[in-house]
Amino acid sequence: MSPVRVTPREEYLLLAKVAEEAERYEDLVIQIKGLTQTYGALTIEERNLLSVAYKNITNNLRSSWRIVDSLEKLESARVGSAGYSKHQVVLIRRQRSRIERELADVCKDIVKLLDDCLLSTAEPGEETVFYYKMKGDYYRYLAEFAQQHDRGRFSDLSLAAYKISYKHALALLDPTHPTRLGLALNFAVYYHDVRKSPERACHLGKHAFDEAVACLDEDSSTQVLRDSMMILQLLRDDLVIWSGEMQKESAGNN
């Protein structure tokens, strides 16, 4: 009995899945980059693995940044108290800057991969929406953590990518499509977190939520319906929080 032949593409995919299981996300990135450089366009499974890899790497870095940033603020407030010196704050600030550089490198890396390879081969519809959403997401992260002089530029680049993605989504995807809903959620978060506009965040989020609820189809596949409902729940939770913020601000101005 002759051995089963495994293609190079299957080898890349197998190693990518092993890396995901082992939570070695840098190794997962290497395998998906190899796939991209060798074959160009990615399958849905490969594309999702790419998303998982960068999401986990950046989530860990963003979490680390928040912890160190909080420590820096805490130590800064203690300067002058017994045992606390500016030197401790300087050391913590240096660590925060190192995390910022790592985060910026990762975000710029995925944006470069999108611009150089993936967007040019993307099919119209869900694939194009997915990749431009990713571009908007990672420029959003850059805008959140960048130094003041770079923040506006990254914010504008994020907005441009989200707008292209949303335009394609509105034209080519159903209101209940998980990719369209995920885009609406992240785009609304962009308006809230980066543009500091809960009003625009609520407007975009509520429009997406209402459209989806109006045409939910319980005959859809179980997995698609489950994914859509999960995103709708996240969207509703955010809308409640943002509406509360606007009510507090309005009450404070009266």
Side-chain angles (χ1 to χ4, degrees):
M1 185 175 178
S2 60
V4 177
R5 295 193 63 183
V6 178
T7 67
R9 185 165 204 147
E10 290 171 328
E11 289 179 357
Y12 275 121
L13 186 56
L14 173 63
L15 291 173
K17 289 179 177 178
V18 169
E20 182 192 19
E21 287 294 324
E23 297 183 358
R24 292 181 59 85
Y25 298 110
E26 287 81 3
D27 291 346
L28 176 49
V29 166
I30 290 170
Q31 298 306 320
I32 300 299
K33 279 186 174 180
L35 274 167
T36 304
Q37 290 160 3
T38 306
Y39 299 101
L42 298 177
T43 65
I44 292 176
E45 184 178 24
E46 294 161 357
R47 184 210 314 162
N48 288 337
L49 284 168
L50 175 74
S51 178
V52 165
Y54 280 100
K55 184 178 295 184
N56 277 279
I57 294 170
T58 53
N59 280 353
N60 288 338
L61 286 168
R62 293 169 78 205
S63 177
S64 297
W65 186 93
R66 291 187 185 101
I67 292 169
V68 175
D69 185 60
S70 295
L71 284 172
E72 182 185 342
K73 289 182 173 67
L74 181 63
E75 295 301 313
S76 295
R78 288 175 173 175
V79 169
S81 302
Y84 290 95
S85 68
K86 289 183 179 179
H87 181 64
Q88 290 169 290
V89 176
V90 169
L91 291 175
I92 296 171
R93 187 171 297 148
R94 192 176 299 162
Q95 178 67 11
R96 175 176 57 78
S97 296
R98 189 167 73 84
I99 296 170
E100 286 173 358
R101 288 194 296 272
E102 287 183 33
L103 180 57
D105 287 344
V106 173
C107 292
K108 290 174 182 177
D109 187 57
I110 178 57
V111 168
K112 186 176 189 303
L113 185 64
L114 289 164
D115 283 340
D116 291 352
C117 305
L118 298 174
L119 284 168
S120 61
T121 61
E123 293 290 332
E126 196 267 344
E127 189 175 11
T128 294
V129 172
F130 185 94
Y131 285 141
Y132 272 108
K133 172 188 170 293
M134 279 190 79
K135 187 173 179 178
D137 288 341
Y138 287 96
Y139 272 131
R140 170 163 60 88
Y141 301 157
L142 283 166
E144 288 173 349
F145 298 98
Q147 297 300 314
Q148 189 65 43
H149 60 277
D150 285 328
R151 201 166 295 162
R153 178 168 62 90
F154 290 136
S155 174
D156 290 344
L157 288 167
S158 178
L159 180 60
Y162 278 136
K163 281 184 173 179
I164 293 172
S165 185
Y166 206 57
K167 179 180 178 182
H168 279 270
L170 292 176
L172 300 170
L173 300 183
D174 292 334
T176 55
H177 195 294
T179 301
R180 174 168 164 173
L181 284 173
L183 166 63
L185 174 63
N186 288 15
F187 198 0
V189 168
Y190 164 84
Y191 276 123
H192 180 270
D193 291 359
V194 178
R195 294 284 171 159
K196 308 300 182 187
S197 176
E199 296 86 357
R200 297 189 74 172
C202 282
H203 177 76
L204 191 154
K206 189 174 186 307
H207 179 265
F209 184 91
D210 290 346
E211 275 203 324
V213 169
C215 56
L216 271 176
D217 182 6
E218 294 186 4
D219 293 331
S220 300
S221 72
T222 304
Q223 186 57 52
V224 170
L225 186 60
R226 188 182 297 123
D227 290 345
S228 298
M229 293 301 293
M230 182 179 68
I231 299 170
L232 283 170
Q233 181 63 54
L234 292 171
L235 197 50
R236 184 173 69 176
D237 292 346
D238 281 345
L239 286 170
V240 170
I241 294 170
W242 299 337
S243 297
E245 290 175 357
M246 287 191 296
Q247 287 172 1
K248 284 182 181 178
E249 185 178 351
S250 177
N253 292 334
N254 291 334

